[in-house]
Amino acid sequence: MDREEAKKIFKKLAASYPSWKVDKDIAESWIEELETADAENCWANVSEHIRTSKFAPSLAEIIRPNERIEAKREIERTREMIRRQDEERKDIPKDPPWVREGISRQAWMQRLLAEKRAEAQ
């Protein structure tokens, strides 16, 4: 998250909790920590905290991973993995090798064993 967005989060918290006593040093410290945090998680945590609590949050509550966002990201990662697997499966032949070659399974296995024995010697 950039510095301006970190300031917006801090200002939103200060506006939502007027009795929250902060000075410039505290604000600077919070903004430094917020800059290294994931913006999407922070905004979700701020919104949830404002809706559910009448007391100001700690910095740890704001920068922690948000369960809903992490679940959505995991769903997207899973969808992407399934999509890639489906793409890879398109390249896999559906018929076994002996059918593709037009021979019996036994004949294919005997030929394969003979090839492996020849390689070993």
Side-chain angles (χ1 to χ4, degrees):
M1 148 179 351
D2 63 11
R3 189 164 186 80
E4 290 306 310
E5 196 167 12
K7 286 180 182 179
K8 286 179 186 177
I9 286 177
F10 191 79
K11 287 176 184 178
K12 182 171 181 131
L13 286 170
S16 299
Y17 299 100
S19 63
W20 191 34
K21 304 293 183 212
V22 294
D23 61 12
K24 189 174 183 174
D25 293 332
I26 293 171
E28 194 60 37
S29 175
W30 269 61
I31 290 169
E32 285 175 13
E33 288 298 320
L34 287 170
E35 284 178 326
T36 62
D38 180 38
E40 192 176 9
N41 281 325
C42 290
W43 278 111
N45 290 335
V46 165
S47 297
E48 286 176 14
H49 192 86
I50 288 171
R51 279 187 251 118
T52 60
S53 180
K54 60 183 178 180
F55 300 106
S58 69
L59 181 57
E61 290 174 305
I62 300 303
I63 63 175
R64 71 175 166 73
N66 185 280
E67 293 86 14
R68 288 188 186 116
I69 292 173
E70 292 301 313
K72 287 179 186 176
R73 288 177 180 171
E74 184 61 30
I75 289 169
E76 287 304 313
R77 282 190 296 266
T78 303
R79 284 183 181 150
E80 178 61 22
M81 181 188 70
I82 291 170
R83 188 194 61 74
R84 277 183 298 178
Q85 286 178 347
D86 288 345
E87 289 294 318
E88 290 172 1
R89 284 188 185 117
K90 289 178 183 177
D91 297 335
I92 298 173
K94 294 184 192 265
D95 294 328
W98 53 88
V99 172
R100 289 193 311 264
E101 294 177 21
I103 60 175
S104 71
R105 180 177 180 182
Q106 185 178 4
W108 183 81
M109 290 295 283
Q110 287 173 346
R111 191 186 73 207
L112 184 64
L113 288 171
E115 289 172 3
K116 294 297 179 186
R117 284 185 190 128
E119 287 177 12
Q121 293 177 358

